[in-house]
Amino acid sequence: MVGRIAADPLDAHWDPAQLREAVFAADAAGFDLHFHTIGDRAVRMALDALEALNDERGQRDRRAQLAHVQLIDAQDIPRFSQTGAIASIQAVWGSIAPDLLALYTQLLGEERMSRQYAFGDLHRHGALLSGGSDWPVSTQNPLVAMETALRRARPGDIADVPFLLEQSVGLATMMQAYTHNSAYSLRFDDRAGQLSAGRPASLAVLSGDLRDVAPHRIVEIETMMTLFEGETVYGNLD
């Protein structure tokens, strides 16, 4: 089901009624919901639709995802945990290049600029963060994203000025986001996302312990070997 394309740049791509119809139909068919939400209006519309779904059909294990969440109204941040919405984040975007920073400020204004990629607020309000890449728009390397989430600065650049440092999140949170939580969001958590007896051995072996390196050097850690369901698909340790 496709919503109408907006004729006015200030108009929404979806009417709320059409979005509701699509959400309810997909849910009835057993699909998990995945929303592309860049701006605060898109985030609110998606959360409104999920809230209506929960109110009318009851809460269940829906695992609905809101991807990107670049801009969120402060009032909507607690609604992620309330509705069960997963924040599918691309943490590498938590550092904004100077040219884009100037453009975004011109377009959005200072107040909205203070709410860019509010990963820290989402985490503090109980939202489940799932790590994603948005490949091929940005890198697939989760270590680049993890370092950016910790420092809110360009990976490897110790002199870079952090962007909204109060929205940083810790290493443990980001490791969880890019392992168990991402598997959970895709319903792969019964076979991926953590190591335990009886699960297929899908893992990456790194050249160092992320917990033992300075935050601005996380990006220097290399992947030595990867296994998928017990089979080596990259590198070796010989």
Side-chain angles (χ1 to χ4, degrees):
M1 186 175 298
V2 179
R4 66 180 178 82
I5 299 299
D8 187 319
L10 298 179
D11 201 1
H13 284 280
W14 288 79
D15 286 327
Q18 290 177 315
L19 181 61
R20 173 193 167 95
E21 182 182 358
V23 164
F24 274 66
D27 181 73
F31 288 101
D32 288 338
L33 300 164
H34 188 105
F35 301 87
H36 182 280
T37 52
I38 290 288
D40 47 6
R41 186 178 184 183
V43 170
R44 178 163 291 180
M45 287 177 65
L47 291 171
D48 286 348
L50 286 176
E51 187 174 81
L53 194 60
N54 289 336
D55 288 345
E56 297 186 29
R57 292 186 178 167
Q59 287 196 321
R60 64 173 178 82
D61 184 20
R62 288 192 168 90
R63 306 195 192 185
Q65 297 186 62
L66 274 64
H68 310 321
V69 292
Q70 177 175 354
L71 188 60
I72 311 172
D73 189 284
Q75 295 181 356
D76 289 326
I77 287 176
R79 299 178 69 199
F80 278 75
S81 61
Q82 293 165 5
T83 60
I86 298 168
S88 175
I89 66 171
Q90 288 64 52
V92 70
W93 298 348
S95 169
I96 300 180
D99 55 340
L100 287 179
L101 190 62
L103 175 62
Y104 289 171
T105 303
Q106 178 183 356
L107 293 172
L108 299 174
E110 294 289 347
E111 192 278 328
R112 273 185 162 152
M113 282 303 295
S114 70
R115 297 191 270 115
Q116 296 284 310
Y117 300 113
F119 307 145
D121 284 346
L122 284 166
H123 177 62
R124 285 186 286 272
H125 282 85
L128 188 144
L129 304 182
S130 173
S133 68
D134 201 36
W135 172 262
V137 175
S138 54
T139 178
Q140 296 182 69
N141 186 345
L143 300 183
V144 176
M146 288 182 191
E147 180 178 321
T148 308
L150 268 66
R151 300 181 54 239
R152 301 286 293 203
R154 288 192 297 271
D157 186 351
I158 195 172
D160 190 34
V161 177
F163 175 67
L164 301 179
L165 186 58
E166 67 274 16
Q167 296 300 344
S168 65
V169 292
L171 179 61
T173 298
M174 293 312 301
M175 291 177 69
Q176 182 83 352
Y178 278 91
T179 54
H180 173 269
N181 291 0
S182 58
Y184 175 87
S185 69
L186 297 171
R187 295 189 185 273
F188 292 163
D189 52 308
D190 61 338
R191 57 190 182 276
Q194 68 183 55
L195 298 178
S196 61
R199 287 174 177 261
S202 297
L203 57 95
V205 180
L206 304 180
S207 62
D209 190 331
L210 299 180
R211 299 166 296 183
D212 294 337
V213 299
H216 69 280
R217 304 195 68 176
I218 288 176
V219 73
E220 298 176 12
I221 298 294
E222 298 180 356
T223 300
M224 307 301 293
M225 183 174 70
T226 57
L227 285 81
F228 178 71
E229 296 188 351
E231 297 292 331
T232 302
V233 294
Y234 170 80
N236 62 72
L237 296 181
D238 295 336

